[in-house]
């Protein structure tokens, strides 16, 4: 199995501007060229705003292109727990926001004509034990009461593989090739007239009161407003709210192609993409190439400045063990490659947006579920910068200038969660 240092797509010949040299002025500077940053820049350009987009690598180089390819209305925090902690109106607002984010991403695919293999297949939060199945039933009830279209399903009737007892099926969203999507969004951003500077990291951001000044290695950007869409890399910026994001490295593996009849034999007739109900989820989906992509399960924290890296061999091997445990009928299927990337986890495990200062807004709409949400929030924040009233969906995640509690996400905590998940797997095997 090859451990990939880079997903490879970023080697596409650049058509954006060269790294920034010298000083420039603009109306708004967007820092971070992932899906959220590109979406914000596109919206600002559409409104006639003079916007500069800075990206430390190439546009979409981070989590936007390295993720598992799910377009989902999921919120990272457990629905049952949210139902206990939050008022029902707040929960309805969150799931409305998340569903609208999916539709926004779907519209972006159509509007920009991006060929990325999008399949509107929904998603199943799948149970691999009786305890998880009971949990899925409770989650489905909470989400239905919050206005979601989620429904409880069981086993073979739902076309799930052997060993998956059922779960909660959400009909919204689906899967795609994230690298292909990002390349399409990158092309649209460059064509829109946005002044794009790739390979230009922001070193420091100063709110001067009358505007902002962004220092880069070889120049400076002066603007009226700044928007931070840096996610996992936010902790490296002094202007970002303290404790905004904890960087977490997640890994994915892709197998060799699997014959369709093999998938039918193991009961995966629906081909529905799945995430499990473990403390740290496992994800499994079939690609248009006939391969299976799976991942997460075991994650690791990091500190800024975040290094470029490959997946750890022991983590990749653990993912493969998990795959073979879940799909015993496919034990002969070989893994081909593994890759990964950094995501940002908020201390609340909920998507957030707010104001770092008078002239600096920020977004952290990821927590591992941000493919659609990051884009949507970037779009809404662009409208906010242009003095639009606070949109209801932005209000659902608006943090204002409140402080963040220190995050409990740490290496020891994540390792303990992995151990607890493996213990629950062993217990489930004994009770079958």
């Amino acid at each position: 199995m090859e451990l990939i240092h880079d997903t490879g797509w970023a080697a596409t010949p650049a058509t954006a501007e060269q790294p920034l040299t010298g000083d420039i002025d603009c109306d708004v500077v967007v820092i971070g060229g992932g899906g959220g940053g590109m979406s914000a820049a596109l919206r600002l350009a559409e409104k006639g705003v003079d916007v500069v987009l800075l990206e430390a690598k190439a546009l979409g180089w981070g989590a936007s292109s390295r993720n598992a390819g799910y377009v989902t209305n999921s919120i990272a925090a457990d629905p049952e727990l949210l139902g206990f902690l939050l008022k029902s109106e707040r929960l309805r607002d969150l799931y409305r926001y998340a569903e609208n984010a999916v539709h926004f991403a779907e519209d972006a695919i159509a509007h920009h004509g991006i060929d990325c293999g999008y399949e509107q297949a929904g998603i199943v939060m799948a149970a691999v034990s009786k305890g998880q199945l009971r949990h899925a039933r409770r989650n489905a009830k909470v989400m239905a009461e919050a206005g979601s279209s989620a429904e409880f399903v069981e086993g073979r009737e739902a076309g799930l593989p052997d060993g998956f007892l059922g779960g909660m099926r959400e009909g919204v969203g689906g899967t795609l090739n994230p690298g292909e999507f990002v390349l399409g969004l990158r092309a649209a951003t460059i064509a829109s007239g946005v002044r794009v500077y790739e390979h230009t990291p922001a070193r420091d951001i100063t709110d001067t009161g009358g505007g902002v000044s962004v220092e880069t290695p070889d120049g400076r950007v002066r603007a009226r407003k700044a928007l931070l869409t840096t996610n996992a890399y936010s902790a490296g910026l002094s202007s970002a709210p303290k404790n905004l994001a904890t960087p977490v490295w997640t890994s994915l593996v892709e197998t060799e192609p699997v014959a369709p009849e093999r998938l039918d034999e193991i009961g995966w007739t629906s081909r529905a993409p799945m995430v499990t109900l473990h403390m740290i989820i496992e994800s499994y989906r079939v690609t248009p190439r006939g391969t299976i992509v799976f991942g997460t399960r075991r994650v690791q924290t990091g500190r800024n400045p975040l290094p470029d890296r490959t997946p750890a061999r022991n983590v990749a091997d653990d993912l493969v063990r998990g795959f073979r445990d879940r799909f015993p009928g496919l034990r002969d299927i070989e893994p081909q490659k593994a890759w990964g990337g950094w995501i940002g986890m908020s201390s609340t495990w909920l998507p957030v947006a707010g104001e770092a200062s008078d002239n600096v807004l920020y977004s952290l709409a990821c927590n591992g579920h941000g493919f659609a949400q990051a884009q949507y929030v970037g779009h809404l924040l662009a409208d906010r910068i242009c003095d639009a009233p606070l949109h209801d969906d932005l209000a659902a995640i608006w943090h204002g200038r409140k402080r963040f509690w220190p995050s409990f996400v740490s290496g020891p905590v994540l390792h303990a969660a992995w151990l607890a998940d493996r213990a629950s797997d062993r217990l489930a095997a004994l009770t079958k």
Side-chain angles (χ1 to χ4, degrees):
M1 176 173 54
E2 180 187 5
L3 302 181
I4 298 178
H5 182 77
D6 190 294
T7 51
W9 74 267
T12 299
T15 56
E17 296 190 33
Q18 296 299 310
L20 174 66
T21 57
D23 295 353
I24 61 172
D25 297 295
C26 64
D27 193 38
V28 178
V29 55
V30 179
I31 302 163
M38 286 190 278
S39 178
L42 281 165
R43 180 60 169 170
L44 289 165
E46 180 182 305
K47 287 178 166 289
V49 175
D50 180 18
V51 55
V52 165
L53 176 59
L54 303 180
E55 166 54 39
K57 300 285 187 176
L59 295 185
W61 179 85
S64 295
S65 63
R66 298 168 185 264
N67 64 79
Y70 288 76
V71 184
T72 172
N73 63 340
S74 299
I75 301 292
D78 180 71
E80 185 179 16
L81 180 60
L82 289 179
F84 176 75
L85 295 175
L86 303 179
K87 293 181 179 178
S88 58
E89 182 178 354
R90 165 89 165 125
L91 196 58
R92 283 195 297 272
D93 289 345
L94 277 172
Y95 282 109
R96 182 201 64 229
Y97 145 82
E99 183 165 328
N100 286 341
V102 169
H103 297 318
F104 178 85
E106 292 172 334
D107 290 344
I109 293 169
H111 178 72
H112 299 297
I114 301 175
D115 183 7
C116 56
Y118 178 58
E119 296 183 2
Q120 193 174 8
I123 185 174
V124 175
M125 298 182 69
V128 297
S129 70
K130 293 178 181 178
Q132 287 187 6
L133 194 63
R134 291 191 293 270
H135 190 192
R137 190 185 295 273
R138 296 192 298 270
N139 276 348
K141 181 180 179 182
V142 170
M143 291 186 66
E145 291 174 350
S148 167
S149 59
E151 60 175 347
F152 179 76
V153 296
E154 293 195 63
R156 283 278 181 152
E157 293 181 2
L160 301 182
D162 297 336
F164 291 81
L165 308 182
M168 183 178 66
R169 179 169 56 198
E170 180 61 72
V172 174
T175 60
L176 47 64
N177 183 313
E180 291 176 348
F181 173 83
V182 164
L183 284 174
L185 194 64
R186 177 178 180 269
T189 302
I190 294 170
S192 72
V194 172
R195 285 192 277 168
V196 175
Y197 294 94
E198 296 180 315
H199 305 287
T200 304
R203 292 286 177 82
D204 193 25
I205 305 165
T206 303
D207 190 327
T208 62
V212 295
S213 177
V214 182
E215 299 291 334
T216 73
D218 298 305
R220 178 192 308 163
V221 180
R222 292 179 294 262
R224 178 177 63 87
K225 297 281 187 180
L227 173 56
L228 302 181
T229 59
T230 42
N231 292 310
Y233 296 85
S234 298
L237 298 171
S238 61
S239 56
K242 188 176 181 181
N243 302 319
L244 173 63
T246 299
V248 173
W249 176 269
T250 65
S251 301
L252 296 163
V253 174
E254 184 172 13
T255 70
E256 63 182 328
V258 183
E261 56 268 23
R262 296 286 303 276
L263 298 176
D264 292 337
E265 287 171 5
I266 65 169
W268 203 354
T269 55
S270 68
R271 306 292 196 270
M274 302 178 294
V275 298
T276 65
L277 286 160
H278 290 91
M279 294 178 66
I280 302 177
I281 66 169
E282 301 172 12
S283 64
Y284 301 95
R285 72 177 179 94
V286 181
T287 73
R289 298 183 297 280
T291 62
I292 298 175
V293 171
F294 56 93
T296 312
R297 180 176 162 98
R298 189 168 186 173
V299 295
Q300 302 157 296
T301 57
R303 294 183 179 179
N304 279 285
L306 295 175
D308 296 341
R309 56 171 292 181
T310 58
R313 173 62 68 177
N314 66 314
V315 172
D317 289 344
D318 181 65
L319 288 173
V320 174
R321 281 194 299 273
F323 169 74
R324 288 177 173 155
D325 287 344
R326 302 284 172 242
F327 300 90
L330 301 178
R331 283 185 177 273
D332 60 314
I333 298 299
E334 291 295 326
Q336 295 294 298
K337 56 188 175 182
W339 69 94
W342 294 103
I343 64 171
M345 298 294 296
S346 65
S347 59
T348 62
W349 284 46
L350 295 175
V352 292
E355 298 170 320
S357 64
D358 286 346
N359 297 305
V360 180
L361 279 70
Y362 68 85
S363 160
L364 180 68
C366 285
N367 295 295
H369 294 74
F371 181 85
Q373 294 174 34
Q375 295 177 55
Y376 188 43
V377 176
H379 179 91
L380 295 177
L381 283 174
D383 284 347
R384 182 66 175 167
I385 284 177
C386 295
D387 299 321
L390 190 67
H391 191 283
D392 287 345
D393 287 342
L394 190 57
I397 63 168
W398 190 250
H399 203 74
R401 297 195 187 184
K402 292 184 290 185
R403 295 181 179 180
F404 291 91
W405 292 100
S407 175
F408 65 86
V409 176
S410 65
V413 168
L414 293 174
H415 185 65
W418 176 79
L419 289 172
D421 284 337
R422 303 294 73 78
S424 69
D425 286 345
R426 288 191 293 271
L427 180 60
L430 291 173
T431 57
K432 281 185 178 179

